[in-house]
């Protein structure tokens, strides 16, 4: 018998061994460095000719790979905006790999119907009207691409073009945004709209859009089709465009309004933060993320639109062998991929296990922990906030020891300081540059982060403050 047959016969025993390996990772998460700072690499082993079987492969994983992982699931990985994973979501994701379903077309199993239910639940969680239909994606980047593809189709129709069919030739479309996320810029390129969009000024000392500047740009534009990318939660300072006013302008100037709310959409589930994302339901399309603040495993993004027909017109797959009759959507007609992961299942599990209350608590607690850190920094004589803490991200830096240090020297000092902080393995922070000042971002998005974790990081910052 070959290794494949033997493994299949021993599937139960193997799954126990694999489960133990996963549990060991979890048990030792607290001893693991939040992130590695030494850029670990695989040894250049020859590709196996004769396979070694799943048990030996696991041993190799445990020696070569597992020790060199980051503690992204741990409570002090505060880099980027990294969600944790709830127990139910994490275990469900293991089921997804093990049952290997493909919700591309419905009818031959219940998976597309589960995805539809999850989209309806999330719509309710975010307080969006039923006019919004949606699809699960690989992340906010993919969702931003879908939003731009919809906007492109809409803008084409305004000038008598069916861009999905005829392409961009002759199309005249202008895109406006103040602080478009880097992923949106990438998507503008992918969508054929060009990365060089019309950059609108921001309000003074803010990342939010200057409405007068937007109004002028829209009024002066000669373009026959217009798309506005509004921001609901910017990564550097967590700022929010005034969505009501932006929606008014888009209506008046017949522009498609896409809102990037990768994590900002979650503000809508907290009474004291909901105003930040007020009127997002006036958007034509909305991006959000599951693998960030919903705390489901990678990869999982969310996309909603009031005009899902624009998406289906652009992305429908026409082939007789793919035609089905079902009361569930054909999700491959709403996304980039034909074959798709059953990423609805971890969301279904986590919402079923912890409910909307449990998930609101995650968001609320993360905001409190960010505020706790920000309060300490505000009182510190060594560190300073670079912008006020609005949500779950704290942007700060070390103050310079002498008052007249040039900005570039301050920045070099802070770059070194960030490296020193991360090298302790106690916490992982990523950089953020605001108004020319190099700082550190602590983005708290994991359900596990407690008051004590923040105190531990404060103690570390205190200890390193004069190094
Ligand atoms: C994280 C983020 C993205 C990109 O999301 P991915 O899930 O990494 O693709 C886009 N926009 C904003 C505002 C984000 O925070």
């Amino acid at each position: 018998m070959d290794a494949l047959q033997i493994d299949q016969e021993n599937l139960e025993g193997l799954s126990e061994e694999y489960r133990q390996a996963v549990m060991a990772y979890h048990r030792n998460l607290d001893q693991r460095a939040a992130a590695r700072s030494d850029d670990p690499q695989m040894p250049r082993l020859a590709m196996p000719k004769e396979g070694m079987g799943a048990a030996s492969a696991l041993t190799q994983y445990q020696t070569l790979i597992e020790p060199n992982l980051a503690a992204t699931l741990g409570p002090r990985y505060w880099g980027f905006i990294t969600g944790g994973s709830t127990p139910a979501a994490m275990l469900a994701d293991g089921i997804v790999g093990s049952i290997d379903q493909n919700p591309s077309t419905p009818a031959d199993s219940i998976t597309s119907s589960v995805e539809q239910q999850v989209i309806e639940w999330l719509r309710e969680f975010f307080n969006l009207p039923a006019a919004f239909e949606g699809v699960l994606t690989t992340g906010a980047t993919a969702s931003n691409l879908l939003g731009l593809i919809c906007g492109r189709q809409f803008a084409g129709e305004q000038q008598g073009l069916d861009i999905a069919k005829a392409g961009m030739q002759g199309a005249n479309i202008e895109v406006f945004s103040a602080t478009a996320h880097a992923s949106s810029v990438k998507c503008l390129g992918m969508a054929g709209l060009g990365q060089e969009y019309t950059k609108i000024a921001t309000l003074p000392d803010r990342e939010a859009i200057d409405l007068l500047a937007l109004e002028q740009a829209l009024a002066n534009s000669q373009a026959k089709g217009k798309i506005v990318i509004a921001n609901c939660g910017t990564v550097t300072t967590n700022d929010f465009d005034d969505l009501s006013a932006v929606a008014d302008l888009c209506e008046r100037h017949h522009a498609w309004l896409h809102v990037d709310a990768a994590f900002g959409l979650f503000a809508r589930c907290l009474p004291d933060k909901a105003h930040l994302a007020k009127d997002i339901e006036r958007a034509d399309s909305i991006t959000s993320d599951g693998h960030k603040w919903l705390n489901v495993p990678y990869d999982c993004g969310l996309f909603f639109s009031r005009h899902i027909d624009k998406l289906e017109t652009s992305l429908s797959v026409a082939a007789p062998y793919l035609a089905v009759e079902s009361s569930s959507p054909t999700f491959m007609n709403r996304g980039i991929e034909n074959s798709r992961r059953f990423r609805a299942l971890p969301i279904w599990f986590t919402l079923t296990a912890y409910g909307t209350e449990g998930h609101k608590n995650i968001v609320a607690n993360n905001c409190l922990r960010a505020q706790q850190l920000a309060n300490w920094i505000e009182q510190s004589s060594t560190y300073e906030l670079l912008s006020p803490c609005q949500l779950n991200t704290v942007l700060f830096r070390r103050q310079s020891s002498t008052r007249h240090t040039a900005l570039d020297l301050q920045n070099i000092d802070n770059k070194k300081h960030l490296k020193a902080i991360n090298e302790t393995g106690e916490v992982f922070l990523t950089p953020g540059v605001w108004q020319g000042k190099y700082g550190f971002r602590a983005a708290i998005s994991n359900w596990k982060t407690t008051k004590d974790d923040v105190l531990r990081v404060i103690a570390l910052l205190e200890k390193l403050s004069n190094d």
Side-chain angles (χ1 to χ4, degrees):
M1 269 198 304
D2 64 5
L4 201 50
Q5 296 293 342
I6 295 170
D7 282 353
Q8 180 59 34
E9 280 185 16
N10 189 26
L11 202 54
E12 285 197 22
L14 280 171
S15 68
E16 185 57 27
E17 279 179 55
Y18 274 60
R19 194 182 70 82
Q20 287 298 338
V22 170
M23 288 306 114
Y25 174 90
H26 280 266
R27 263 196 310 279
N28 301 324
L29 201 53
D30 216 41
Q31 280 91 57
R32 187 179 289 271
R36 291 289 290 261
S37 44
D38 57 346
D39 188 23
Q41 301 290 328
M42 284 298 275
R44 288 285 178 271
L45 302 176
M47 186 161 74
K49 184 157 186 300
E50 305 294 336
M52 59 181 75
S56 301
L58 180 65
T59 308
Q60 288 233 347
Y61 160 80
Q62 285 170 310
T63 358
L64 298 175
I65 301 176
E66 200 249 34
N68 298 307
L69 298 174
T72 36
L73 276 180
R76 289 180 310 283
Y77 187 98
W78 296 349
F80 316 104
I81 301 168
T82 304
S85 184
T86 65
M90 179 189 79
L91 295 171
D93 202 69
I95 296 180
V96 171
S98 306
I99 57 178
D100 204 18
Q101 304 289 299
N102 180 5
S104 55
T105 54
D108 66 344
S109 90
I110 200 170
T111 55
S112 296
S113 179
V114 177
E115 183 157 343
Q116 181 59 22
Q117 173 166 92
V118 154
I119 285 159
E120 287 169 14
W121 281 358
L122 289 172
R123 188 166 69 194
E124 195 180 323
F125 183 62
F126 295 123
N127 201 10
L128 294 173
F132 280 88
E133 286 290 328
V135 63
L136 301 179
T137 67
T138 50
T141 305
S143 296
N144 280 335
L145 180 59
L146 300 189
L148 292 173
I149 285 171
C150 291
R152 189 182 76 169
Q153 193 64 16
F154 165 85
E157 285 168 13
Q158 286 178 314
Q159 42 201 296
L161 298 173
D162 180 350
I163 290 178
K165 296 264 177 342
M168 294 287 287
Q169 204 168 14
N172 181 348
I173 303 173
E174 189 170 354
V175 179
F176 307 82
S177 189
T179 317
H181 188 267
S183 69
S184 282
V185 178
K186 165 168 152 177
C187 293
L188 284 168
M190 285 197 279
L193 293 159
Q195 295 192 348
E196 288 171 0
Y197 64 97
T198 302
K199 196 155 170 56
I200 306 298
T202 57
L203 295 170
D205 298 322
R206 296 272 305 271
E207 285 187 294
I209 199 162
D210 180 333
L211 294 162
L212 284 176
L214 177 62
E215 181 159 30
Q216 258 171 18
L218 286 169
N220 292 339
S221 171
Q222 301 298 312
K224 292 184 189 149
K226 304 182 183 80
I227 299 171
V228 173
I229 304 173
N231 298 294
C232 180
T234 55
V235 286
T236 307
T237 67
N238 285 181
D239 212 344
F240 291 77
D241 288 346
D242 178 341
L243 297 176
S244 325
V246 172
D248 284 344
L249 291 176
C250 287
E251 235 166 65
R252 202 171 315 143
H253 294 275
H254 311 290
W256 181 271
L257 174 56
H258 174 72
V259 180
D260 182 350
F263 59 92
L265 191 57
F266 289 77
R268 285 176 69 90
C269 67
L270 302 183
D272 62 327
K273 305 282 186 195
H275 63 279
L276 294 169
K278 185 170 171 288
D279 283 342
I280 201 169
E281 62 271 25
R282 293 184 59 196
D284 296 297
S285 52
I286 301 172
T287 282
S288 196
D289 243 328
H291 54 223
K292 285 179 179 165
W293 235 354
L294 194 61
N295 277 227
V296 299
Y298 292 103
D299 48 20
C300 180
L302 320 175
F303 179 76
F304 299 99
S305 178
R306 283 193 282 129
H307 317 276
I308 212 74
D309 58 306
K310 295 278 177 290
L311 192 61
E312 294 188 338
T313 302
S314 306
L315 301 180
S316 282
V317 189
Y321 81 102
L322 295 170
V324 285
E325 297 223 349
S326 168
S327 44
S328 290
T330 298
F331 284 107
M332 78 175 172
N333 290 346
R334 293 185 180 181
I336 299 166
E337 299 88 2
N338 276 21
S339 298
R340 308 168 66 248
R341 186 172 171 81
F342 187 19
R343 54 177 70 82
L345 196 67
I347 301 182
W348 183 88
F349 260 90
T350 200
L351 290 175
T352 302
Y354 314 115
T356 54
E357 283 307 304
H359 277 273
K360 281 179 193 176
N361 284 339
I362 295 174
V363 179
N365 280 328
N366 288 158
C367 290
L368 287 176
R369 301 291 58 95
Q371 197 57 55
Q372 180 191 351
L373 180 65
N375 290 346
W376 178 79
I377 289 164
E378 228 161 6
Q379 284 160 23
S380 155
S381 53
T382 318
Y383 295 94
E384 64 182 353
L385 287 179
L386 289 182
S387 78
C389 170
Q390 298 234 59
L391 206 65
N392 66 330
T393 301
V394 185
L395 183 68
F396 66 109
R397 68 166 188 168
R398 179 155 71 169
Q399 296 171 25
S400 53
S401 43
T402 57
R403 197 166 295 172
H404 302 294
T405 314
L407 183 60
D408 55 344
L409 293 179
Q410 296 174 22
N411 287 349
I412 290 169
D413 172 71
N414 272 290
K415 208 169 175 170
K416 276 194 208 143
H417 195 53
L418 175 61
K419 194 161 176 279
I421 292 169
N422 285 339
E423 275 172 359
T424 66
E426 282 277 293
V427 66
F428 180 63
L429 307 174
T430 41
V433 176
W434 178 232
Q435 298 182 323
K437 295 174 180 165
Y438 185 98
F440 330 131
R441 282 172 70 253
I444 304 179
S445 332
N446 187 324
W447 68 271
K448 284 180 179 161
T449 308
T450 64
K451 212 173 190 167
D452 284 344
D453 287 308
V454 177
L455 289 176
R456 206 164 139 176
V457 174
I458 287 173
L460 174 76
L461 291 172
E462 238 161 12
K463 191 172 127 216
L464 296 180
S465 63
N466 297 315
D467 286 5

